[in-house]
Structures are given as C-alpha cells and as structure tokens.
Amino acid sequence: MSQIDTTEKLPEAPEPESSLFAMCGLGVAGIVMLGWICALAWITWRLADWLLF
C-alpha cells in the first residue's frame, strides 16, 4: 500500500506555545554577542595603544 492510498490521519504537530521565549533568547544572545565584540574591540584598542605609543 502506498502512502497516497492510506486514509490514516497523521497526528497534528504540537504548536509552539509562544515565540516570546525564543525572541527573548535571541535578544539575550544578541546582547551577549555585542558585549563580546565590544570587549574584543576594547582589548584591540588597548593593545594597539600599548604597541604604538
């Protein structure tokens, strides 16, 4: 029997309760990433200042 011939109904996929949790997680990850980039930029700036002057 092929899949087209079956009359069995597939179970419904559970719908996500809320995307708010996912959006908060992405927001926190974005803030952490910006903080990491700023820390790297600050370290690079201090190292360049130390090496050049």
Side-chain angles (χ1 to χ4, degrees):
M1 183 187 302
S2 70
Q3 290 181 347
I4 297 172
D5 295 337
T6 60
T7 57
E8 230 177 276
K9 189 171 182 178
L10 296 174
E12 295 281 332
E15 297 205 9
E17 295 174 5
S18 176
S19 63
L20 183 63
F21 181 73
M23 292 303 287
C24 286
L26 286 174
V28 168
I31 290 170
V32 169
M33 185 178 66
L34 283 175
W36 177 244
I37 290 171
C38 288
L40 285 176
W42 182 80
I43 291 169
T44 304
W45 181 266
R46 298 293 295 172
L47 185 62
D49 187 41
W50 178 70
L51 287 174
L52 297 175
F53 300 108

